[in-house]
Structure formats: structure tokens, C-alpha cells
């Protein structure tokens, strides 16, 4: 107990301390809401919860007929086609488009770099 006879727990809270306590509480709530918002955006964008997220469909062709000695440089999918970027044995690069279902070659294009 203090010499004045009053217990320190019973003293009124100073206004500056009350404002600081309110500010800290408000900032804590804002931080929690911000973290939850970022987490929700990541889950929706990366987790596939969005109704517009593309569905992963396996490629059903058993194999693709690649030229002898060709090295695969890149692979992608566009609609019903599989795009394969190849580096041929002579060093030229070509882009081959294959059908997803049958694996048949649909087109092939030369790639020329500057």
C-alpha cells in the first residue's frame, strides 16, 4: 500500500494509457483481418477453390512420336493440344503440336531466335 492509504490497483487509469490500450487493440484486430485476407486470397488463387480455376485433365495419349535425337526443351497444353518444344540433333528448335487423345502430330513450326 502507498503512504496515502490507497491501493495502486484502485487508482484510475490515465487517459494516455487508455488511448494507447485502444490503439494497440485496434492495430491487433487490423493485423488479424489483414493476415486472414491474404490467406484467403492465397487459398482461393492457388488452392483451386475458385469456380473459374482450370481443372487438371490428364493427357491420355500413350506416347508421342518425337523425331530421333530430339531433346524436349518445354512442354505445355492448350485446349486439346500438347505443345512440345524440341531441340533437334542438328541444333534447330521446333514446336510440335500433338493431339491430347491420340498423340497424333497436328503441326510443327520452326523456332528462330534473333
Amino acid at each position: 500500500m502507498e503512504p496515502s492509504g490507497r491501493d495502486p490497483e484502485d487508482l484510475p487509469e490515465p487517459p494516455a494509457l487508455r488511448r494507447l490500450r485502444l490503439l494497440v487493440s485496434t492495430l491487433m484486430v487490423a493485423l488479424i483481418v489483414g493476415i486472414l485476407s491474404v490467406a484467403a486470397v492465397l487459398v482461393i488463387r492457388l488452392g483451386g477453390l475458385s469456380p473459374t480455376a482450370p481443372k487438371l485433365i490428364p493427357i491420355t495419349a500413350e506416347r508421342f512420336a518425337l523425331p530421333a535425337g530430339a531433346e524436349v526443351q518445354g512442354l505445355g497444353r492448350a485446349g486439346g493440344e500438347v505443345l512440345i518444344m524440341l531441340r533437334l540433333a542438328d541444333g534447330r528448335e521446333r514446336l510440335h503440336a500433338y493431339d491430347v487423345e491420340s498423340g497424333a502430330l497436328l503441326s510443327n513450326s520452326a523456332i528462330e531466335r534473333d
Side-chain angles (χ1 to χ4, degrees), residues 42-108:
L42 287 175
V43 166
I44 289 170
R45 289 294 208 157
L46 300 177
L49 294 180
S50 171
T52 60
K55 303 295 182 217
L56 297 177
I57 301 169
I59 298 171
T60 57
E62 291 297 320
R63 62 190 176 102
F64 299 103
L66 300 177
E71 180 182 329
V72 175
Q73 297 293 310
L75 183 69
R77 182 174 176 152
E81 299 178 357
V82 174
L83 304 171
I84 302 176
M85 186 176 132
L86 301 171
R87 177 163 303 181
L88 303 177
D90 61 4
R92 292 181 298 137
E93 293 180 324
R94 299 200 64 86
L95 181 65
H96 288 211
Y98 293 92
D99 182 57
V100 171
E101 299 293 326
S102 67
L105 180 64
L106 299 175
S107 68
N108 87 41

Side-chain angles (χ1 to χ4, degrees), residues 30-42:
L31 182 65
I32 290 171
V33 168
I35 290 173
L36 289 176
S37 298
V38 169
V41 166
L42 287 175

Side-chain angles (χ1 to χ4, degrees), residues 25-35:
S25 298
T26 304
L27 289 175
M28 180 186 65
V29 169
L31 182 65
I32 290 171
V33 168
I35 290 173

